[in-house]
Amino acid sequence: MVRVVHYINQFFGQIGAEEKADVPPSMVPRAVGPGVLIDKALEGHGTVVATVMCGDTYFAEHTEEAATKIIEMIAAHKPDMLIAGPAFNAGRYGIACAEVCKRAQAEMGIPSVTGMYPENPGIELCRKMVYIIETTGNAAGMGKAMPKMVSLALKLYRGEAVGRPSEEGYIPRGIRKNVVDARMAALRAVDLLLKKMKGEAFQTEIACPDLDKVDPPPPITDLSVATIAFVTEGGLVPTGNPDNLPYARATRYEKYSIRDIDTLDPEGFMCIHRGIDRKYINERPNRLLPLDAMRELEREGLFKELFSHYFVTTGVATTMANASKIGQGIAQELKTQGISGVILTST
Amino acid sequence: MKLEMQEYEVRDVRFGKKTAYAKGVLTINKDELLNYISTDARLEGMDVGIAKPGEETRIVNVLELTEPRIKPDTGDYYPGMLAPLGRAGQGTTNVLKNVAVLECGFATGLFGGLLDMTGPASLLTPYAKRINVCISAEPASSANMKEYGLALKQAGMKTGVYLAKATVGMTPGEVKTYDLARDAKSLAGLPRVAYLYQLHNHGEAREPFIYGHNSEDFFSTILHPNEIIDGAIVSFHYNTSTAIKNPTYTVTNHPVILDLYRRHGKEINFVGVVIAPEPPSLTEKKRIALMSATLLKEVLNAEGVIVSKEGGGHTDVDIMENCEQCEKLGIRTVLLDNEFVGPDGTGELPIICITSSANAMVSVGNFEETIELPGMKRVIGGTRMPDIVGEMHEKRTIPVSLVAGAISQVGFTYLRTEVW
């Protein structure tokens, strides 16, 4: 028998409407309200062992505490799956369902399914992690939504393959899944071109993310007072890669000291970048980060000094979002350190 | 320029006493073939095996695939590479259809693909539907990676010509004629469409050849589509990941060119092909994009163009620069591109260069999505392979990018992504 816990708000839990929205979490060891539809949809394969309820306002105002309490209550019943809602177009309720499902899945490892109207703000909080069955805007769609939620949760519980959003009824999660098209890609390209040329409406299969144009700052007016730093996406790390900087798809950067070092020797530094032939950098790391040349210019007094550390990430297949995050992090540190110029080297 | 492809459909391939083609069956004298292709001192232990669709066979270290072809008049193929220099794209070519010759090899620096003849991976690649004649050899100790690759390439081309020779003098099942010439009336008013074909050259064994010339340094140029589908361009992408190279089989059966040909004189006026390199520096990329767009607009008078790239990373810059320069001249543009959105498809599209003109793109699939392969009974092509640990026949989970032919940057695939 599959053990199901159902999460609902105070209204569907028959505690009361808006005037009862501030009630804290509570539990009843059986199906309540719409939960009877879960029992029905399980068709004897399982049963609702508990219903956990919480007021929407209470959850919104004490999110962390409420969610922790709710997860405790759910876990106490050792369920095989969690059904939350459906929340339809109720915003606070949707957010609560999203949080509870996310945490139940992450902390208890049980499949969790909820249901919402496409405009519910709870969707963006969890749709990449949690399956959300698409519902109507109000509770009139309860009878249609619940069997879909149960059926999808059972599939997840049994480890069966989940089909397309349109087949299963869930809101697209934004996951790009490989599928086999009936028409070869080259032919689709020509189809698309003809539509575009005729001025008909056309749909791209890959949408490019928005560009973030950055205007360069004005040039440094007086180099003699300027501290210059090295930044590279070339994956140059101390030998052994002590911080396990990823060799591709980096999500972070590191900084390493070059204080009192005049040249980068191959014993001390190595390149881990997966997008290039690393041979030439590993022979002479100065080829990526020209420390030897910079020290010479520093001694000649071309600029005040070279910053004591260099910043490094690996620029291989990095997403726009991660690259921006890494760049902002490095820029923030540079600014805090009063650095006025950067030599940015790339592969 | 007129090309006649005489096609000979093959239902079965087997080893036998005499190499011959009869009633759809290709028989190969294995010893004769091995003697013919084992003369190269750079190779050791040459072997040949046959793998058929539906068999529980896994072919590993697939570096290159070609289609068996011959010019019946001269008895050879691939001008400038195997045959003496001559013009590709005219006269008669005999083709054994439904068969591919695979070159399998393993050495540090080479990146071969994996091809299962049954199971889930076989559904993703056109090459699992062909009867594959696989040649494999080890490098001689004196041969470096590039020489080893070139020796395999030579042996593969020779094998294809050797097999296709069996059709000379026989009546083909079908004859296909490729000729852009039409009377002006039938082309009047049809949209003028071209193809911009980027070729990737990025170092040793990471290059296509154009009439035998290493493609390291050339400017955008116009080729007749017949030249491309008749052996003028030969792949030598042995040091390139499987998903980001176009094997010669794909090039000679170029899906964009063949589709534009099919629609020529009916829906469109196919005005020609520009090939362009993907040079390393930004200045060079910009220069090439400007030159390509000029050729397309001012010489071919194209109104629309399909652009494809070859290779990963910086080649995004080329495809986007090409797109922008074409659109600036009023040429409507569609791009073919692969995706790189993580094993579970949750990643964002990492395109290193983007132009707002790139508003019409066709996906050839997410490179990184993993696929579970069952164990196979038989393995051809070696006992180890780059990026794969353990015994070759075992069941395993691999990224789709390792499946030979699953991702095709010129669109020789049915794979694409869908938002789930």
Side-chain angles (χ1 to χ4, degrees):
Chain A
M1 289 293 268
V2 180
R3 298 171 61 83
V4 183
V5 170
H6 189 202
Y7 174 78
I8 47 180
N9 70 356
Q10 86 288 342
F11 175 75
F12 288 101
Q14 297 165 1
I15 298 172
E18 197 54 36
E19 78 284 356
K20 293 282 185 191
D22 56 355
V23 298
S26 61
M27 189 279 297
V28 175
R30 59 183 151 73
V32 174
V36 298
L37 293 174
I38 301 178
D39 273 337
K40 200 173 147 209
L42 283 166
E43 291 173 341
H45 296 295
T47 180
V48 175
V49 293
T51 304
V52 175
M53 291 164 271
C54 182
D56 286 335
T57 304
Y58 186 89
F59 193 95
E61 287 174 1
H62 312 84
T63 304
E64 182 56 35
E65 181 200 326
T68 303
K69 183 75 195 156
I70 289 164
I71 291 297
E72 263 174 38
M73 288 175 162
I74 295 171
H77 291 273
K78 297 190 169 49
D80 300 310
M81 61 170 76
L82 172 72
I83 302 280
F88 305 104
N89 201 20
R92 286 170 309 164
Y93 187 18
I95 289 167
C97 287
E99 284 299 328
V100 172
C101 284
K102 256 189 347 194
R103 286 192 55 173
Q105 234 168 235
E107 293 168 30
M108 298 159 58
I110 57 167
S112 306
V113 174
T114 181
M116 296 184 207
Y117 181 65
E119 286 170 20
N120 195 309
I123 291 170
E124 279 317 305
L125 292 180
C126 72
R127 72 174 174 136
K128 285 214 169 178
M129 295 81 95
V130 177
Y131 283 101
I132 310 165
I133 293 291
E134 182 177 339
T135 70
T136 51
N138 59 44
M142 183 71 83
K144 281 209 169 130
M146 202 60 107
K148 289 184 195 163
M149 289 163 65
V150 172
S151 143
L152 184 54
L154 278 173
K155 271 195 174 177
L156 293 168
Y157 169 69
R158 291 171 182 152
E160 293 169 8
V162 175
R164 288 183 159 80
S166 57
E167 292 160 2
E168 307 279 1
Y170 62 88
I171 292 169
R173 311 170 77 196
I175 286 171
R176 298 184 73 84
K177 172 106 181 113
N178 279 341
V179 295
V180 175
D181 201 283
R183 203 160 164 76
M184 197 186 263
L187 278 57
R188 299 203 310 277
V190 181
D191 294 343
L192 184 59
L193 180 62
L194 291 180
K195 275 190 175 175
K196 189 170 168 177
M197 290 175 78
K198 286 177 194 157
E200 294 170 6
F202 62 90
Q203 182 71 50
T204 184
E205 293 181 5
I206 304 174
C208 289
D210 289 336
L211 281 179
D212 180 18
K213 287 262 183 206
V214 180
D215 292 324
I220 299 171
T221 46
D222 185 4
L223 269 175
S224 69
V225 295
T227 302
I228 309 292
F230 268 136
V231 178
T232 183
E233 61 73 56
L236 191 78
V237 293
T239 299
N241 192 13
D243 299 297
N244 288 318
L245 187 68
Y247 57 73
R249 302 186 68 88
T251 54
R252 61 190 160 92
Y253 65 92
E254 295 292 341
K255 64 171 182 218
Y256 294 109
S257 174
I258 43 174
R259 195 190 302 271
D260 303 328
I261 305 179
D262 271 352
T263 182
L264 297 172
D265 61 64
E267 287 74 42
F269 293 88
M270 65 187 277
C271 174
I272 52 152
H273 196 285
R274 189 78 192 257
I276 49 157
D277 187 344
R278 297 180 292 274
K279 184 168 70 185
Y280 303 102
I281 296 171
N282 283 331
E283 277 170 13
R284 288 183 62 187
N286 286 320
R287 284 174 173 151
L288 177 69
L289 216 59
L291 181 62
D292 50 351
M294 276 300 271
R295 288 291 186 219
E296 226 173 287
L297 296 172
E298 191 180 29
R299 278 192 294 270
E300 286 171 12
L302 182 72
F303 53 93
K304 185 177 156 227
E305 60 174 350
L306 183 64
F307 184 59
S308 61
H309 289 70
Y310 74 92
F311 296 81
V312 57
T313 185
T314 32
V316 187
T318 313
T319 64
M320 189 82 87
N322 284 331
S324 302
K325 203 182 74 191
I326 291 167
Q328 280 158 7
I330 294 174
Q332 193 55 50
E333 282 206 48
L334 292 168
K335 222 167 165 179
T336 315
Q337 299 287 347
I339 286 149
S340 37
V342 159
I343 305 276
L344 183 61
T345 72
S346 71
T347 54
Chain B
M1 181 177 252
K2 187 172 157 185
L3 172 67
E4 288 204 326
M5 292 266 201
Q6 303 200 126
E7 298 188 348
Y8 300 81
E9 190 71 21
V10 176
R11 286 183 289 109
D12 196 14
V13 179
R14 32 181 107 127
F15 289 122
K17 281 194 183 128
K18 187 171 181 296
T19 299
Y21 171 80
K23 293 177 186 159
V25 178
L26 177 68
T27 309
I28 305 172
N29 179 328
K30 189 175 176 177
D31 290 339
E32 187 180 85
L33 172 59
L34 280 174
N35 284 337
Y36 179 54
I37 60 173
S38 299
T39 51
D40 199 315
R42 296 170 294 184
L43 301 177
E44 279 174 4
M46 177 66 80
D47 197 11
V48 57
I50 300 166
K52 300 175 189 176
E55 279 179 6
E56 286 187 61
T57 298
R58 173 167 297 152
I59 311 166
V60 299
N61 297 308
V62 180
L63 295 167
E64 160 77 319
L65 304 101
T66 62
E67 189 169 51
R69 291 171 170 219
I70 192 168
K71 287 279 178 191
D73 296 344
T74 55
D76 51 24
Y77 204 65
Y78 303 115
M81 279 302 285
L82 186 66
L85 254 181
R87 187 169 291 113
Q90 58 187 14
T92 305
T93 296
N94 285 13
V95 188
L96 282 168
K97 295 309 283 188
N98 200 33
V99 183
V101 174
L102 274 59
E103 296 160 32
C104 304
F106 177 87
T108 305
L110 299 186
F111 289 98
L114 176 152
L115 185 60
D116 278 358
M117 298 307 287
T118 188
S122 72
L123 303 176
L124 305 182
T125 164
Y127 296 114
K129 296 171 187 72
R130 306 285 178 271
I131 303 170
N132 293 313
V133 177
C134 313
I135 64 163
S136 53
E138 312 255 320
S141 56
S142 57
N144 64 25
M145 179 260 282
K146 184 179 179 179
E147 289 303 319
Y148 172 47
L150 282 173
L152 277 172
K153 158 129 279 0
Q154 204 72 15
M157 289 189 295
K158 281 167 80 175
T159 302
V161 171
Y162 169 85
L163 296 178
K165 206 174 197 167
T167 64
V168 174
M170 303 190 74
T171 312
E174 197 174 345
V175 180
K176 286 188 180 143
T177 305
Y178 296 94
D179 187 353
L180 283 178
R182 298 281 191 282
D183 63 80
K185 224 169 109 188
S186 71
L187 294 174
L190 292 176
R192 300 176 63 87
V193 178
Y195 172 45
L196 174 51
Y197 184 13
Q198 295 180 195
L199 296 175
H200 184 58
N201 183 308
H202 208 54
E204 286 196 337
R206 214 166 177 167
E207 57 204 319
F209 288 97
I210 305 165
Y211 282 109
H213 179 72
N214 158 297
S215 58
E216 194 171 42
D217 198 7
F218 73 103
F219 287 123
S220 312
T221 189
I222 293 168
L223 282 196
H224 193 286
N226 285 10
E227 295 178 272
I228 298 169
I229 59 172
D230 196 31
I233 296 176
V234 171
S235 167
F236 186 44
H237 279 294
Y238 293 18
N239 173 15
T240 315
S241 301
T242 300
I244 52 171
K245 63 180 160 198
N246 296 302
T248 305
Y249 188 109
T250 305
V251 177
T252 54
N253 286 277
H254 201 299
V256 173
I257 291 175
L258 294 187
D259 192 45
L260 293 176
Y261 246 127
R262 268 189 293 270
R263 304 190 203 215
H264 182 53
K266 299 178 196 112
E267 284 175 83
I268 62 162
N269 179 359
F270 180 18
V271 295
V273 181
V274 170
I275 61 166
E278 295 169 339
S281 79
L282 272 177
T283 310
E284 291 168 289
K285 287 178 187 301
K286 177 121 187 173
R287 181 185 300 123
I288 291 298
L290 284 164
M291 292 177 75
S292 299
T294 307
L295 289 175
L296 287 162
K297 174 74 180 179
E298 305 298 342
V299 182
L300 297 179
N301 297 314
E303 297 164 319
V305 64
I306 306 279
V307 191
S308 66
K309 71 173 194 187
E310 191 171 52
H314 72 103
T315 62
D316 283 337
V317 180
D318 300 275
I319 200 168
M320 292 297 164
E321 193 69 53
N322 279 327
C323 174
E324 192 159 321
Q325 296 303 339
C326 287
E327 290 276 348
K328 263 188 192 165
L329 294 183
I331 307 169
R332 296 286 158 256
T333 307
V334 164
L335 312 180
L336 277 157
D337 213 341
N338 53 276
E339 299 186 51
F340 204 54
V341 287
D344 58 1
T346 57
E348 279 180 67
L349 196 69
I351 288 183
I352 58 174
C353 175
I354 294 158
T355 162
S356 52
S357 313
N359 60 1
M361 298 172 75
V362 165
S363 163
V364 298
N366 171 21
F367 222 84
E368 293 183 288
E369 188 170 308
T370 51
I371 177 167
E372 283 177 38
L373 309 183
M376 291 285 147
K377 283 191 180 138
R378 175 173 167 237
V379 174
I380 297 179
T383 52
R384 56 188 176 152
M385 188 179 156
D387 293 327
I388 285 189
V389 186
E391 295 290 323
M392 291 296 105
H393 70 274
E394 284 172 355
K395 68 171 187 170
R396 60 182 67 253
T397 301
I398 62 167
V400 88
S401 61
L402 286 178
V403 178
I407 303 271
S408 164
Q409 293 178 310
V410 296
F412 197 50
T413 178
Y414 293 84
L415 206 62
R416 69 176 176 93
T417 62
E418 190 176 275
V419 178
W420 276 34

